[in-house]
């Protein structure tokens, strides 16, 4: 069974369309450059999705009733919707009996993966956007759970994604994984101002997370 044929969902209208190309930031031999990829699929699901205007209105209307909608794009794991678009950015089928095909490669292609994902977020919440889809000053969920690639790359990704969200004037939220994916201590993920969903003590010990902020 080809894991890439499994169902995946991205429930927002997106500019990422099959056949288009994108130049993503890259580093080769220590030199910053770009690498061009061709989208192999539309990012948006074909069955059910929100148009950008509709989702913006939904968030605004919910806020008038005291409900804060927290949009989430779950990466670098559970990211099959993303890796179907650029399969070259996946960990590959050798990881977890093919499950690596739904996870971004944060070892060999960190810059490309990070640039791809933040480009998608920019469609809805770029810092200079006049009428953003995601509420200004709101909370945005960046995922970050159950990753089976290289740990230090994962921790750097969580830190950098949180910094990206904060640079737009919003608060980042992520799933708790930093206890299980503690790494060698070389990548510190400071949590001050970041929200955390604690769902499994083995993945994120609440006392350890409290000390991290």
């Amino acid at each position: 069974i080809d894991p890439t044929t499994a169902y995946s969902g991205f429930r927002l209208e997106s500019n990422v369309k099959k056949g288009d190309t994108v130049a993503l930031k890259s580093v080769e031999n220590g030199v910053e450059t770009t690498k061009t990829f061709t989208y192999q699929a539309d990012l948006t699901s074909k069955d059910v999705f929100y148009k950008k205007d509709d989702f913006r209105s939904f968030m605004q209307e919910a806020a008038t009733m005291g409900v804060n909608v927290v949009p989430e794009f779950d990466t670098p794991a559970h990211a099959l919707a993303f890796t179907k678009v650029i399969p070259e950015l996946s960990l590959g089928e050798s990881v977890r009996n093919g499950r690596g095909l739904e996870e971004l490669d944060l070892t060999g292609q960190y810059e490309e993966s990070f640039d791809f994902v933040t480009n998608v977020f920019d469609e809805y919440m770029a810092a200079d956007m006049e009428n953003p889809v995601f509420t200004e000053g709101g909370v945005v969920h960046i995922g970050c759970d159950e990753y089976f690639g290289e740990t230090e790359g994962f921790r750097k990704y969580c830190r950098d994604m949180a910094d990206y969200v904060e640079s737009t004037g919003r608060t980042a939220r992520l799933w708790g994984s930093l206890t299980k994916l503690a790494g060698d201590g070389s990548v510190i993920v400071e949590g001050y101002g970041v929200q955390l969903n604690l769902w499994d003590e083995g993945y994120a010990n609440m006392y350890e997370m409290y000390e991290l902020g």
Side-chain angles (χ1 to χ4, degrees):
I1 299 175
D2 181 357
T4 62
T5 62
Y7 183 80
S8 62
F10 187 91
R11 301 298 178 193
L12 288 176
E13 174 187 13
S14 173
N15 299 332
V16 175
K17 303 294 185 183
K18 181 178 180 178
D20 289 348
T21 60
V22 63
L24 299 177
K25 296 176 183 177
S26 181
V27 174
E28 296 182 8
N29 300 318
V31 178
E32 293 186 4
T33 182
T34 60
K35 187 183 297 184
T36 300
F37 297 89
T38 300
Y39 294 144
Q40 300 302 309
D42 291 355
L43 181 58
T44 301
S45 298
K46 297 185 182 300
D47 49 1
V48 179
F49 66 92
Y50 287 92
K51 289 187 175 294
K52 292 177 181 177
D53 288 342
D54 291 340
F55 196 77
R56 180 189 300 109
S57 296
F58 168 60
M59 292 189 72
Q60 292 172 348
E61 183 177 354
T64 66
M65 294 182 283
V67 177
N68 296 319
V69 177
V70 180
E72 175 187 2
F73 300 158
D74 195 358
T75 62
H78 308 305
L80 185 58
F82 287 83
T83 58
K84 282 180 177 179
V85 173
I86 308 182
E88 301 98 312
L89 295 184
S90 78
L91 278 175
E93 60 185 339
S94 64
V95 178
R96 296 185 67 210
N97 296 319
R99 289 286 299 275
L101 291 168
E102 69 159 9
E103 302 191 6
L104 295 170
D105 177 8
L106 302 181
T107 303
Q109 301 185 93
Y110 182 91
E111 287 78 13
E112 297 90 335
S113 296
F114 183 79
D115 199 28
F116 176 38
V117 174
T118 53
N119 282 350
V120 172
F121 271 103
D122 277 347
E123 284 195 55
Y124 312 96
M125 53 180 274
D128 59 353
M129 185 176 289
E130 291 186 4
N131 190 24
V133 177
F134 296 168
T135 305
E136 292 184 75
V139 178
V140 174
H141 207 303
I142 58 174
C144 286
D145 72 329
E146 296 185 304
Y147 185 69
F148 287 85
E150 192 262 331
T151 300
E152 271 56 57
F154 170 80
R155 293 176 65 86
K156 182 178 188 303
Y157 183 85
C158 294
R159 182 188 65 194
D160 291 349
M161 283 299 303
D163 288 346
Y164 160 79
V165 171
E166 290 175 356
S167 75
T168 72
R170 296 170 175 82
T171 298
R173 182 182 294 179
L174 64 156
W175 294 105
S177 290
L178 298 178
T179 296
K180 185 176 180 66
L181 299 174
D184 60 13
S186 62
V187 180
I188 304 299
V189 184
E190 293 184 348
Y192 298 99
V194 175
Q195 297 181 4
L196 193 71
N197 285 132
L198 295 169
W199 63 280
D200 184 304
E201 185 177 4
Y203 269 86
N205 180 279
M206 67 180 72
Y207 301 107
E208 292 177 7
M209 297 303 102
Y210 178 83
E211 292 300 322
L212 288 173

